[in-house]
Amino acid sequence: MISKINELTEAINQADLSSEEKLEQFRLRYLARKGEIQSLFKQIGQLDENERAEAGRRMNQLKALAEEKFEQAKEELKSSSDQDISALEDISLPVEPTYAGSLHPLTRTQNEMKEIFLRLGFDVAHGPEVEDDFHNFTALNFPPDHPARDMQDTFFVRKSEKGHHDDLVLRTHTSPVQIRLMKETPPPIRSVIPGRVYRNEAVTAKSYFQFSQMEGLYVDRKVTMGELIETLVRFARLMYGSDVEYRVRPSFFPFTEPSIEMDIWWDSDRGGQWLEILGAGMVDPNVFEAVGLDPEVTTGFAFGMGVDRIAMLRYGIDDIRTLYENDIRLLNQFSD
Ligand code: DAH
């Protein structure tokens, strides 16, 4: 019995009471009604009479020791958790900053453009970024030897030995989606098509191997050039304000006849300049034929806008590369 008491004394002295959980285990093991100390007390009655007094005295000491250890550890735990709380009491302390995500300047510009065209009665369509030669070039009336088909401009996903018909390319513009829409949906069609396009160009502040366009297509009977220009002017006014200065110039694209380009006047510290924001025109009869529509009754206009140029003008960004590098220092300037 005495040796058991010595053993327990030793164990209690060395008990680790550094957490609430350990403290509770200690209480259950030694101090609870069915704990080790109480069960030893019960054994005192079985001892010889001359041993009982000594054992009783030692047991009382043991119990006192366990209780004292327990109370002391409880106090210590409580005061250390009080300290934790008091560290939080100064509610004026600055908190760790948190950063919420925000829309990329290109996405914002694209959203604004989409909203304008939704107001003008267009819907929004999409098409694939990997295209076949037919949609990207042939159906859009590019002659077989057109320089845009050249290796220097186009990223080929598959370059066929058997001629360009089987080529697969990263689309060089969003115009192939015009072909898809006209093949899928009978007129009237009135859609804008935002998306990424790719060209194998030297990377500079002004050009990049990928950029973003927004295509527009309106196909119906008796569509006129006047309606095209009115649509583009309305777009420019809604995008840049009613006092925007613009000009419309004749141009050339294989898939439109006649073709135009629109510039807007941009004032900057270094003086103003005309900047081209889009190409457009009346859908060429050859394009209608390629998709199986009768050019005698079907008319339409199309346009293709450079979203990057429009975003750069809008936000005063002078290097197109910053739009694709996703440097957090640029993106943070656009958080709401
Ligand atoms: N696809 C032309 C380009 O990437 C832009 C363009 C011009 C689109 C005239 C059109 C259009 O729809 O009618 O440069």
Side-chain angles (χ1 to χ4, degrees):
M1 173 96 190
I2 296 294
S3 70
K4 179 74 191 161
I5 293 173
N6 286 341
E7 218 174 87
L8 278 184
T9 308
E10 178 82 17
I12 287 169
N13 272 325
Q14 280 171 15
D16 172 10
L17 299 179
S18 57
S19 71
E20 295 280 346
E21 212 183 326
K22 287 175 178 157
L23 194 65
E24 180 60 7
Q25 278 165 7
F26 179 90
R27 190 186 68 79
L28 290 173
R29 176 153 182 205
Y30 300 113
L31 297 173
R33 209 179 300 162
K34 289 187 179 160
E36 295 193 28
I37 293 177
Q38 283 306 319
S39 57
L40 260 189
F41 266 119
K42 284 184 194 135
Q43 292 171 26
I44 292 179
Q46 297 158 14
L47 293 174
D48 289 345
E49 221 161 316
N50 56 354
E51 287 172 350
R52 268 188 222 159
E54 171 67 3
R57 198 176 55 79
R58 291 289 309 275
M59 278 305 297
N60 283 332
Q61 277 175 357
L62 180 66
K63 189 175 167 209
L65 173 72
E67 281 170 352
E68 193 191 317
K69 280 261 319 179
F70 179 80
E71 289 304 328
Q72 199 183 334
K74 200 165 137 184
E75 265 315 296
E76 276 167 17
L77 279 176
K78 186 168 171 291
S79 71
S80 69
S81 72
D82 283 354
Q83 269 169 18
D84 290 348
I85 289 169
S86 67
L88 291 178
E89 267 165 14
D90 184 355
I91 57 165
S92 68
L93 282 175
V95 292
E96 286 281 309
T98 54
Y99 298 103
S102 60
L103 293 179
H104 190 281
L106 271 178
T107 311
R108 281 176 186 233
T109 306
Q110 218 175 63
N111 287 348
E112 270 182 68
M113 293 169 70
K114 275 194 276 191
E115 268 162 39
I116 290 173
F117 283 110
L118 288 171
R119 281 169 66 182
L120 296 179
F122 287 75
D123 58 25
V124 179
H126 296 277
E129 293 184 13
V130 175
E131 268 295 5
D132 52 35
D133 177 90
F134 175 78
H135 290 88
N136 197 80
F137 296 125
T138 300
L140 288 164
N141 199 31
F142 280 79
D145 52 357
H146 193 282
R149 282 190 153 118
D150 200 302
M151 298 290 273
Q152 273 154 26
D153 291 314
T154 307
F155 286 115
F156 287 88
V157 175
R158 187 178 71 203
K159 181 91 183 104
S160 171
E161 303 278 298
K162 290 182 248 137
H164 57 75
H165 299 288
D166 294 323
D167 290 348
L168 279 184
V169 302
L170 290 184
R171 68 178 176 195
T172 57
H173 51 178
T174 43
S175 303
V177 192
Q178 289 185 28
I179 303 301
R180 293 184 177 274
L181 288 181
M182 286 190 278
K183 285 200 337 192
E184 281 159 19
T185 337
I189 298 168
R190 202 190 279 215
S191 301
V192 288
I193 305 129
R196 288 278 170 93
V197 303
Y198 303 85
R199 279 184 210 171
N200 194 357
E201 280 180 22
V203 171
T204 68
K206 296 262 172 296
S207 70
Y208 204 54
F209 55 84
Q210 62 175 329
F211 49 102
S212 303
Q213 291 188 332
M214 188 173 287
E215 194 79 12
L217 178 68
Y218 177 30
V219 177
D220 204 346
R221 286 163 185 252
K222 299 198 171 78
V223 177
T224 67
M225 188 82 181
E227 286 170 290
L228 168 59
I229 291 175
E230 177 64 15
T231 304
L232 298 179
V233 169
R234 273 174 191 255
F235 167 78
R237 292 211 172 114
L238 289 167
M239 193 77 197
Y240 295 106
S242 51
D243 56 349
V244 66
E245 279 185 72
Y246 60 86
R247 72 179 183 192
V248 172
R249 290 179 287 111
S251 183
F252 172 79
F253 300 99
F255 36 92
T256 44
E257 182 59 37
S259 303
I260 56 171
E261 281 176 331
M262 187 185 220
D263 304 332
I264 59 159
W265 181 256
W266 195 257
D267 272 320
S268 74
D269 310 340
R270 279 167 266 143
Q273 57 178 323
W274 287 110
L275 290 171
E276 180 213 320
I277 58 160
L278 62 88
M282 303 306 292
V283 178
D284 193 290
N286 288 344
V287 174
F288 286 135
E289 263 169 24
V291 296
L293 289 171
D294 181 358
E296 292 299 321
V297 290
T298 316
T299 50
F301 67 67
F303 54 83
M305 302 184 163
V307 179
D308 308 74
R309 173 64 69 81
I310 293 172
M312 288 163 77
L313 291 177
R314 189 135 192 75
Y315 295 114
I317 296 168
D318 55 12
D319 188 328
I320 186 172
R321 290 170 286 196
T322 55
L323 290 175
Y324 294 92
E325 282 164 355
N326 285 330
D327 186 327
I328 199 80
R329 289 168 299 182
L330 174 95
L331 300 181
N332 276 342
Q333 293 171 36
F334 295 91
S335 55
D336 297 296

